[in-house]
Structures are given as C-alpha cells and as structure tokens.
Amino acid sequence: MRTDPRIIAFDTSAAHCAAAVLVGDAIVAERRESMARGQAERLMPFLEEVLAEAGFGWRDLDALAVGVGPGNFTGIRIAVSAARGLALALGVPAFGVSTLEAQAEGIARPCLSLVDARRGMSYAQVLGAQDGPPVIVDDTAGLHPDLPRAPIADPATLTPTMARIAAARLATGAALARPAPLYVRAADAAPPRDPAPVILP
Amino acid sequence: MTKTLTVLGLESSCDDTAAAVVRHREGEAPEILSSVVAGQTALHADFGGVVPEIAARAHTEKLDLCVEEALSEAGLGLDELDAIAVTAGPGLIGGVLAGVMLAKGLAAGAGLPLIGVNHLAGHALTPRLTDEATFPYLMLLVSGGHCQFLLVKGTDDFTRLGGTIDDAPGEAFDKTAKLLALPQPGGPSVEAEARNGDPRRFALPRPLLDRPGCDMSFSGLKTALLRERDKLLERDGGLHVQDRADLCASFQAAVSDVLAEKSRRALAEYMTLSPVRPIFAVAGGVSANMTIRSALDTVSAEFGATFLAPPLKLCTDNAAMIAWGGIEAFRAGRRDDMTLQARPRWPLDQSAQPMLGSGKKGAKA
C-alpha cells in the first residue's frame, strides 16, 4: 500500500453535495455546493471536478469515505449507493462514516454527539471506548449531563474529517462491512388496518 | 456494427433487486449469461403491500451484492463488459435512485458507458430477448403496477392502444388476497385457490366492456368482491374455504374475460398494420396466471397471431430485460451521462394522452 493513500470523502446527507480529497496527511481539494434537490444528478460530475482539482482520476484512489448520515434518507442513499458502485468497480474499500462520529473527532471520549433529527427530535450517540447505539430522542437537555458534548457541525463541512477517519481505518487493514445508511429512525410503515376475515372450514 | 455486446443490467424499481448479464452478437440469439433476482416479499409481508421506504432500504444494501453474484455467475469481470444498463424509471423513486447511483458508481469506476432504460421498455422488448420477435408486434403489459396494450414498432417506438384507467390487475389480485386472508403476493395464492372454485358462482362486473376501445378498469371489480365477501361474513360470521375458492375463481374469471375481450380489440387494430409474422406477446407478473394466459392464447389464435409468453422468470421483474433494453439502446447509439435522472414517472408512449396522473409529476401512464 502507498504510504500516502489517496482518499475521496463525500456526503449528501442534507441539502448539499460536499467532498474532500486527502493525500497522506493533507487535504488537497475540498468543495461544497448547497442544493435543495438534484444531488443525484450533480454528485458524480461534482466528484469528478473535485478529483480533477486534486489532479487525480478515479483509478488513482486507494479508498473512499462516505457520509452515512443520519440525515435525509434519500440523500444518504444517493451517496452510499454511489460509493458502493465505485468501490466495487475500483476494487478499493469504501468506509461509511456517520455525522455523529465525524463531528466528535478529536473530542475527548467518552462524549455525547447530537444531530438534529427535525420535528423537534435529535439523533444521539455516546461515543467512547465502545460506542453506544445511535438513538432518536425528543429531549436532549437532561441527556447524559455528565458527558462533554461534541460541537454540532454541518455535515457539509465534515468531509475532510471523514477522509481522515477512513485513512485511519484503512491503515488498520481490517476487513470492514460495506457502508450502509444510518437511518436510526424506523421506516414509516403501518400494518393494514382492516383485519383479515376469519376462515371457516 | 456486428460487434458482440455484453451488458450488465440493474433493476430496483419495485420490490425485486436484480442484476443480470446479457450477451448478444448481431444476427444471433441473445444469451442470458446470468440473471439474479433477490425478492423482498418477506420484508413487506406484514404491511399488505410494498412499502416504498422499506423497498428503498433493501435495494441500497442488496443491489451491489446481486451485481457481484451476476458477474461471478457469468464468469466475467466489469472490464469485460461493454456497458452498464439501469432502470431509470418509472417506479418507486427511492429504489430507482439506489439503482441509478450504483450504476453511475460502477460506470465511472470501470470507465464504461451508462444507459438508462425505461422499465416498461424492458418488459416490452422481452419478446425480442426470448424469441427474437420482429417489429411490429402487439404487447400486453400486465403487472402489479401497469396494464397497457402497446404496439411495439421499434426499440424506442411504442404506441399505446389503451390501458387501465385506475388499478392494475396485479394490484387487484393482491387486494383480493388481502380481503380473503390469503398470503401475498396475491397472484399465485388467488390462482391456487381459484383451482378449487366455481368461476360462475358470483356475478362480478366486467367493467368497460360496453365501451369501445382498449381501456380497462379494475377498481370496481375489487369493490364488488368486497361486497360479496361482506355478505358471506355477515351470514356465516366468517368465510368458508369453499366460498373463498369460489370468490377467487369468479374474480379471476372476470379479470381474464376483460383482458381477453380487450385483447381482441387490440389485435383487430394491430392486424390493420398487416404484419408479416403477427405476434401477440405478454409480459408482467400477471401474465404468469395460467387461466389468463390460456384465454389470451385463444384470442391470439382467432387472429392467426403467434402468442408469446416469456418464461415466468422473465415475465416478472428481472434485470436481464434491462440489460437487453440496454443492448438495444446501445445499438441505436444512445448513451447517458453522469447526470442521468431517476424518474418516478416515464410513460413509454410520450405522444399519447395521459390516462393516469398529471400535474407537476407528469403522466404515470
């Protein structure tokens, strides 16, 4: 493996396309574009522009990092699906990095990381020697008063950190699961209301 | 161009996650090198229908695994392909998006051309994949989400002769199963139950048969079935197995009669084109129903047309038809770029008057 691995990180978990390219310890390109919709059409040309700015093509990459949310369900699927396709075609690993983890990078552990979940709710996770499960809560005021809190960051600003986290994981050489969206919230689905009729012989 | 083309197809527009590799040398029969379909029936079982968000979640984490399986079954690497074809609509947008983005990642990473394929075109061109059907042919596309008669005159030339103005028959089968406490998907379970039933016991309506043209309606049929069921429930406090079988048989007979009569009209119109080798083809999950299949076969014979019903696994959603649609499009010179859009609605016949849906989202069919 190269001593200065090249990694592109990207995120579409909210109203943006964001990406950063890491070479060794240095971020050599970073871009963010705000957009309420159209990430699916914009993402790949956007990534190619960022790569070009770094002076690379797809095949120069050693790994990918992708923001897995939590956030907009469609948004995180857009980035995760693209990352899985790229990883398969390039034969390089793709690392899923959550906003909860990325914004807490560099904060002393254990700590509490929070992400706005809208509708008055928050995603919350205790990060430590062993991370707790991410949960959704409606009141964060009284949550783990003993723990320091990671500053809440706009996920669009976190791609450089996501790339660094991926670099650290790449260095361990451990086989890791494919990136998957971090939904936390269950799918909105209700069982049918009309009961099935009783069947008689 | 006599080049051999090998194309990977991806499908994720409803509740089947699928990938396939198809190879075609011009002048020869196309060859399906692999066709992997991962269904999601169990995931949706508790909800009495496909839940779009659940479907999208499953596609996102399954489709690349299907691609790997399809490539390994075909014994090929991505570098041995000529293009990546993907369903770009119409369908449940979350799943379509997952497929389109995976395809973009694959195409960009492997340096391959990307082709967005209309899911309905995939079904409509299947007789060319399975039987090398020549244009023009008549197609009845009948599934859980669609029901239309198409004159297929070229790889990108479809004329809609008529279609459902409300529900699709597959949807009606699913709802019937739900009303009668039969398992989903409703098509096979209603058909199995109907085998023990009397199709003449309940007089269910045959909507729109009194009107000219090839348009159909199935929502009234479902309501009529519900009314008959409720009468039985009120009388007996439950539904006897034999009554249920009779309801299934009567329902299936009504659907079959409507499709057969409308096929007769569509065939009459098709035959005015004087096709050298007349073909009436079906596709879509409902065409797996044997009663319906044999009714359509009979009507086809009345007109001296060859009846083509692809094997079951190519009637229902699959990715071989998408790979094939990609091959046809590739040969016609069509390529998409990385801005390819996933479309929830995408009528095949762009010139026809919208029958279903309108407004900002555009016509559904």
Side-chain angles (χ1 to χ4, degrees):
Chain A
M1 199 180 64
R2 243 191 288 266
T3 52
D4 57 340
R6 298 160 175 183
I7 297 173
I8 190 166
F10 53 96
D11 186 283
T12 57
S13 65
H16 60 259
C17 282
V21 178
L22 177 76
V23 179
D25 293 329
I27 295 292
V28 296
E30 191 202 345
R31 263 173 86 166
R32 303 196 277 272
E33 279 179 19
S34 297
M35 60 190 76
R37 55 175 63 86
Q39 286 96 328
E41 293 79 38
R42 181 69 186 122
L43 180 62
M44 297 304 290
F46 173 78
L47 294 180
E48 284 173 357
E49 288 164 24
V50 177
L51 272 182
E53 192 185 320
F56 300 144
W58 288 113
R59 282 161 201 265
D60 299 316
L61 294 170
D62 297 294
L64 309 162
V66 61
V68 297
N72 178 286
F73 293 170
T74 299
I76 52 187
R77 277 195 284 271
I78 287 171
V80 166
S81 294
R84 288 172 81 128
L86 284 164
L88 180 53
L90 297 170
V92 302
F95 299 97
V97 182
S98 78
T99 305
L100 293 159
E101 179 186 1
Q103 71 184 3
E105 183 68 5
I107 308 292
R109 309 293 167 101
C111 70
L112 178 66
S113 191
L114 298 168
V115 167
D116 182 14
R118 298 177 184 250
R119 297 185 242 167
M121 314 279 276
S122 294
Y123 300 110
Q125 187 178 22
V126 174
L127 299 167
Q130 255 192 329
D131 297 340
V135 292
I136 185 158
V137 295
D138 55 7
D139 180 25
T140 60
L143 204 63
H144 298 286
D146 49 319
L147 292 182
R149 295 183 174 204
I152 292 172
D154 176 353
T157 65
L158 292 173
T159 54
T161 311
M162 290 175 178
R164 291 184 197 282
I165 291 172
R169 290 196 210 161
L170 182 67
T172 69
L176 288 154
R178 294 171 202 234
L182 183 62
Y183 298 110
V184 187
R185 236 190 258 267
D188 205 0
R193 269 166 296 164
D194 313 327
V198 178
I199 301 302
L200 309 170
Chain B
M1 191 164 58
T2 57
K3 201 181 149 222
T4 301
L5 289 178
T6 311
V7 171
L8 171 72
L10 275 61
E11 157 66 31
S12 56
S13 67
C14 189
D15 60 343
D16 287 302
T17 311
V21 181
V22 175
R23 175 171 282 169
H24 180 235
R25 188 191 301 273
E26 242 177 354
E28 292 181 14
E31 201 186 340
I32 298 172
L33 301 182
S34 63
S35 182
V36 175
V37 181
Q40 305 176 352
T41 306
L43 293 178
H44 304 282
D46 291 344
F47 304 103
V50 176
V51 181
E53 176 62 21
I54 291 176
R57 291 183 177 197
H59 289 306
T60 304
E61 298 185 38
K62 282 275 152 45
L63 190 52
D64 58 336
L65 305 177
C66 288
V67 167
E68 285 181 311
E69 200 179 326
L71 288 172
S72 116
E73 250 178 58
L76 295 174
L78 282 167
D79 55 339
E80 293 167 280
L81 302 175
D82 295 293
I84 311 265
V86 61
T87 298
L92 300 174
I93 190 63
V96 178
L97 258 178
V100 165
M101 293 314 294
L102 185 81
K104 286 181 181 178
L106 288 170
L112 289 169
L114 174 72
I115 301 168
V117 173
N118 183 307
H119 175 84
L120 302 175
H123 279 302
L125 295 171
T126 295
R128 292 171 54 74
L129 168 65
T130 55
D131 297 271
E132 296 171 80
T134 48
F135 301 123
Y137 56 86
L138 177 67
M139 158 68 62
L140 168 61
L141 180 56
V142 57
S143 68
H146 303 279
C147 185
Q148 50 189 308
F149 289 102
L150 294 164
L151 272 183
V152 186
K153 293 185 275 191
T155 57
D156 195 22
D157 185 356
F158 307 92
T159 305
R160 191 187 64 216
L161 300 179
T164 182
I165 58 168
D166 43 52
D167 293 355
E171 203 177 342
F173 269 94
D174 285 344
K175 285 178 181 164
T176 296
K178 205 160 115 186
L179 291 173
L180 303 181
L182 290 167
Q184 297 289 326
S189 59
V190 171
E191 183 179 12
E193 207 61 23
R195 264 181 228 125
N196 311 315
D198 174 6
R200 283 174 300 275
R201 168 144 172 230
F202 298 98
L204 298 175
R206 271 71 170 155
L208 298 190
L209 282 195
D210 54 336
R211 277 192 241 167
C214 301
D215 288 348
M216 293 163 277
S217 162
F218 295 97
S219 72
L221 180 54
K222 178 189 71 197
T223 313
L225 179 102
L226 174 65
R227 219 174 292 130
E228 294 295 343
R229 181 203 73 164
D230 286 348
K231 274 191 231 164
L232 294 165
L233 287 181
E234 197 163 323
R235 191 191 68 188
D236 303 332
L239 191 61
H240 288 287
V241 171
Q242 187 55 52
D243 292 336
R244 176 164 74 173
D246 293 343
L247 278 170
C248 286
S250 299
F251 165 81
Q252 182 175 271
V255 174
S256 179
D257 283 356
V258 170
L259 290 173
E261 176 51 31
K262 296 291 179 173
S263 295
R264 197 168 277 123
R265 298 177 194 181
L267 272 157
E269 193 164 340
Y270 165 60
M271 293 307 279
T272 65
L273 298 177
S274 312
V276 181
R277 186 188 154 210
I279 292 171
F280 177 35
V282 290
V286 177
S287 62
N289 182 290
M290 283 305 167
T291 301
I292 292 172
R293 227 177 232 225
S294 96
L296 298 177
D297 194 1
T298 305
V299 176
S300 190
E302 288 171 22
F303 291 83
T306 304
F307 180 67
L308 291 183
L312 186 55
K313 60 182 198 295
L314 295 174
C315 273
T316 50
D317 286 353
N318 67 88
M321 69 178 191
I322 302 305
W324 173 250
I327 287 174
E328 297 249 35
F330 192 97
R331 293 220 189 274
R334 208 165 64 69
R335 309 284 186 277
D336 285 295
D337 63 22
M338 287 292 152
T339 63
L340 173 66
Q341 225 183 336
R343 303 167 65 171
R345 295 180 172 195
W346 185 2
L348 265 187
D349 183 346
Q350 309 272 1
S351 65
Q353 286 294 314
M355 301 181 68
L356 282 173
S358 60
K360 211 167 77 180
K361 289 181 175 169
K364 185 175 171 214

